[in-house]
Amino acid sequence: METDLALSLFESDKTTGTSFFSPYRSISKIPKLLRRDHCGLIDEESTITFFIEVSHEPAMICSQSSQPRNKTTTLTPILKNMPSVLALFAHPDDIEFVAAGTLLLLKDLGWQIHYCNVANGNCGSAVTDQNETAAIRRAESERSAQLLGATYYPPFCDDLDIFYNRVNLAKTAAIVRQAKPSIVLTHAAVDYMEDHMETCRLAVTAGFAKGIPNFASNPETSIFDGDVAIYHAQPHGNRTPMGEFVIPKLSIAIDAVIDRKLAMLDCHQSQHQWLRSTQGMNSYLQTMLELGAQVATLSKVESKYAEGWQKHLHLGFSASDFDPLGDLFGTASG
């Protein structure tokens, strides 16, 4: 798969070096996983050729030019085998509440997006029965994943039936191995309900087991090597079960994609009445906006809305400095 990623080149003058402006803010911020191969940038209007040297740290920019020009030029590199991110959450609409903004930003940078709800949402109605409710909520999730441009993985548990056991772990491991993610996004380790916390445990262990040949997934799926970074989302309500506010270590401004995030959440039409009657959410769309605004306030970042993340310890998963979300978007809180 090849993905175009637009970069802008500005030559500061006719004799000095160049500066790049990109979604990564600077070439040195392009994470290591995007620097695995040489990426050639060619200005077809002149003889200028630029290369990002990716085999060294930090990244180097080399140029060759017979007639350097003092102007702005748009260049388009081809980045092959763009990395992937897996969002692995408990229920339909969980991804939309706490992770969709980050996923949309990654999608806009060319990342491959993988979308999985472990549970089918069958308990999410007081009107329709379990089977009909599960079918409705799957269709809603599939529409949301389509808006995101994501690969969709069907659920394999009922609501309140997510447990950390061998059967569920084997299924989760198969999804991780199929997606081959460089990033796994999942729930907070401590959250308001057990389905969230059990999903988190499954995601973490499946990430750990991605390259272990003697751990069999279901279905059997080839192992893969490479760094993976696991990030935990904000707990529901931005609080621990004891009511303490959680300030994220990493905050990502999502103002630029908030309308698209709202559109994804709005796919879950069945939850209007359900969340109003069970959790007091008069408008679950408004609740999502309020929670996102609260993350921005707690983090003291300069944005109206944000999503917050805590990076899992690297041991067993990646090199100590592997932090792709931090490299791409990171704003330290406070």
Side-chain angles (χ1 to χ4, degrees):
M1 175 182 179
E2 294 188 350
T3 304
D4 288 349
L5 176 63
L7 295 172
S8 294
L9 164 66
F10 175 74
E11 295 180 71
S12 56
D13 58 45
K14 292 176 183 269
T15 57
T16 61
T18 60
S19 298
F20 278 80
F21 299 89
S22 77
Y24 300 108
R25 297 176 296 178
S26 69
I27 288 297
S28 64
K29 283 295 184 181
I30 295 179
K32 290 180 179 178
L33 56 95
L34 293 182
R35 292 193 243 125
R36 289 175 178 160
D37 301 305
H38 290 283
C39 176
L41 308 180
I42 301 175
D43 178 3
E44 296 179 351
E45 297 179 3
S46 74
T47 58
I48 302 174
T49 303
F50 292 85
F51 297 92
I52 300 173
E53 173 56 61
V54 295
S55 59
H56 301 287
E57 176 68 35
M60 299 169 55
I61 303 175
C62 308
S63 66
Q64 298 174 342
S65 175
S66 60
Q67 295 179 346
R69 299 171 302 158
N70 185 13
K71 64 175 290 186
T72 300
T73 306
T74 299
L75 303 175
T76 303
I78 302 298
L79 297 181
K80 296 183 178 180
N81 301 317
M82 284 297 286
S84 68
V85 53
L86 169 64
L88 208 159
F89 286 78
H91 310 109
D93 79 18
D94 285 343
I95 288 173
E96 289 76 5
F97 262 102
V98 296
T102 301
L103 293 169
L104 285 162
L105 290 170
L106 289 170
K107 180 65 177 180
D108 288 348
L109 293 178
W111 282 58
Q112 300 175 47
I113 313 297
H114 299 262
Y115 176 115
C116 178
N117 301 309
V118 173
N120 58 20
N122 68 319
C123 291
S125 176
V127 179
T128 53
D129 65 23
Q130 290 190 38
N131 291 336
E132 185 177 356
T133 301
I136 291 170
R137 301 203 68 192
R138 174 165 178 169
E140 291 171 342
S141 295
E142 289 177 340
R143 284 197 294 273
S144 179
Q146 186 175 20
L147 287 180
L148 177 59
T151 299
Y152 175 84
Y153 297 81
F156 52 89
C157 289
D158 288 340
D159 286 357
L160 304 181
D161 199 30
I162 302 175
F163 297 106
Y164 184 83
N165 57 36
R166 184 64 177 79
V167 172
N168 288 337
L169 183 57
K171 293 178 180 179
T172 309
I175 292 170
V176 170
R177 291 174 180 179
Q178 289 172 42
K180 295 181 174 60
S182 299
I183 295 173
V184 173
L185 305 180
T186 192
H187 287 288
V190 179
D191 212 335
Y192 86 122
M193 69 171 301
E194 294 296 323
D195 273 3
H196 287 199
M197 294 188 287
E198 293 291 274
T199 297
C200 171
R201 295 181 66 196
L202 290 168
V204 170
T205 303
F208 187 88
K210 65 180 174 48
I212 300 177
N214 287 343
F215 182 82
S217 63
N218 181 21
E220 291 188 13
T221 309
S222 299
I223 62 172
F224 74 99
D225 296 321
D227 290 335
V228 61
I230 297 178
Y231 297 89
H232 301 279
Q234 284 290 95
H236 184 56
N238 294 319
R239 295 170 173 85
T240 70
M242 299 298 104
E244 299 167 326
F245 278 110
V246 174
I247 299 176
K249 298 288 181 61
L250 173 67
S251 298
I252 298 177
I254 59 170
D255 294 12
V257 295
I258 193 63
D259 290 342
R260 292 156 66 194
K261 174 171 171 158
L262 278 168
M264 287 177 62
L265 183 57
D266 199 36
C267 289
H268 298 271
Q269 288 288 313
S270 68
Q271 297 309 284
H272 279 289
Q273 178 59 38
W274 173 250
L275 292 177
R276 182 181 299 115
S277 63
T278 61
Q279 297 189 32
M281 295 185 190
N282 290 327
S283 170
Y284 71 111
L285 297 177
Q286 184 60 36
T287 297
M288 184 271 283
L289 290 174
E290 291 170 355
L291 291 173
Q294 190 174 66
V295 172
T297 299
L298 289 170
S299 305
K300 299 180 181 179
V301 298
E302 294 182 1
S303 64
K304 188 173 182 180
Y305 305 107
E307 289 178 349
W309 301 97
Q310 312 276 355
K311 184 176 179 294
H312 198 89
L313 184 66
H314 70 280
L315 295 175
F317 299 93
S318 70
S320 60
D321 61 348
F322 186 71
D323 183 15
L325 279 189
D327 288 344
L328 288 168
F329 313 112
T331 301
S333 299

